Amino acid sequence: MNAPRKRTVILISGRGSNMAALIDAAADPAFPTEIVGVISDQPNALGLGIAASRGVATKVIARADHASKDAHDVAIDAALATFGAEIVALAGYMRLLTTDFVEKWQGRMINIHPALLPSFKGLDTHSRALDAGIRVHGCTVHFVTPAMDDGPIIAQAAVPVLIDDDEPTLSARVLKAEHRLYPLALKLFAEGKVRMDGNRTAFSGFAETTSNDTVAAPSPAREEVDLEQLARITP
Ligand code: GRF
């Protein structure tokens, strides 16, 4: 018999395209998590409608309705309990969570960041990547710790920065990679193949061939890259 699917709640603030990628992946009964709810801090988040249209329960918990940041996160924690959440996936949740909240969920909460961490923490990653002139950019799924975009890395996908890229073209290429990477990372986590171990991610249950995969910088002339090949699991 298969292990029960892990109950996962997604936190969003806006568009929700990564949320949709996770919901779509979890629509396969063989996927090891079930998306049981979506919480948004923004009442008008586009993702709320997308989640509802896919039959996922949604809840708005707005900062303005709470006296303090602490009270806001306590309300989110209470909603997670109501959903019976075992895993929390941040997907474009644009608010820093309190240390109390993060510590409570540490090791069970993951985030996707649109850059190859530890480079380009914070906002405007694509413009900063273009300004820096880097030729390889990408995205990272990591465990959430109190310091922003700083937790142990679970998986990364790289994309080329093309010579004539601007912010829209580069962010679109990275976003495509995000939509592949996040379900892959959530699956590994839910299957117990990755876990947070201090300030590192511990990997187990990988076949020898997977653990020996290496990342190759894609040719800068190629628009499409093989993300399966590029998604790197780093034991
Ligand atoms: C994504 O680029 C994600 O990496 C970042 O915020 C953006 C959210 O986009 N944390 P969406 O709401 O998932 O479409």
Side-chain angles (χ1 to χ4, degrees):
M1 204 178 93
N2 289 336
R5 303 171 79 200
K6 291 258 164 47
R7 296 175 68 82
T8 300
V9 172
I10 305 173
L11 265 59
I12 62 166
S13 295
R15 178 176 63 182
S17 69
N18 279 289
M19 172 211 74
L22 296 181
I23 292 173
D24 290 349
D28 177 352
F31 196 78
T33 76
E34 181 188 355
I35 309 301
V36 293
V38 167
I39 296 174
S40 173
D41 66 324
Q42 299 294 328
N44 299 324
L46 276 177
L48 286 168
I50 299 171
S53 72
R54 284 162 164 79
V56 176
T58 63
K59 187 164 176 62
V60 174
I61 305 179
R63 171 69 180 85
D65 295 338
H66 296 85
S68 65
K69 194 169 169 49
D70 280 323
H72 186 222
D73 284 2
V74 166
I76 294 173
D77 185 52
L80 291 172
T82 305
F83 280 126
E86 298 170 279
I87 294 175
V88 177
L90 306 182
Y93 185 69
M94 299 305 286
R95 199 173 282 282
L96 281 178
L97 293 156
T98 53
T99 299
D100 280 355
F101 180 93
V102 172
E103 284 177 348
K104 178 164 181 189
W105 284 94
Q106 199 155 284
R108 298 179 291 157
M109 180 159 62
I110 61 177
N111 179 47
I112 187 154
H113 181 73
L116 292 173
L117 291 171
S119 296
F120 306 113
K121 295 177 179 177
L123 299 174
D124 300 324
T125 55
H126 308 308
S127 320
R128 289 192 286 138
L130 288 166
D131 286 349
I134 58 170
R135 306 262 46 96
V136 177
H137 189 34
C139 51
T140 302
V141 177
H142 63 97
F143 287 106
V144 178
T145 54
M148 185 184 67
D149 301 329
D150 198 50
I153 292 169
I154 297 171
Q156 295 185 303
V159 303
V161 180
L162 303 183
I163 286 152
D164 53 1
D165 265 338
D166 54 16
E167 207 275 342
T169 58
L170 182 57
S171 62
R173 190 175 309 116
V174 173
L175 192 64
K176 251 182 166 176
E178 292 184 46
H179 297 163
R180 302 277 295 276
L181 186 71
Y182 210 179
L184 167 74
L186 177 60
K187 180 171 184 286
L188 294 174
F189 178 41
E191 286 172 343
K193 290 186 173 169
V194 299
R195 69 183 162 79
M196 189 169 152
D197 183 13
N199 58 6
R200 299 279 300 176
T201 295
F203 295 81
S204 54
F206 285 92
E208 194 59 22
T209 49
T210 315
S211 61
N212 283 335
D213 274 0
T214 52
V215 88
S219 155
R222 258 178 72 198
E223 176 68 35
E224 289 294 331
V225 292
D226 182 350
L227 291 168
E228 296 292 357
Q229 203 183 332
L230 287 175
R232 185 190 192 196
I233 318 302
T234 313

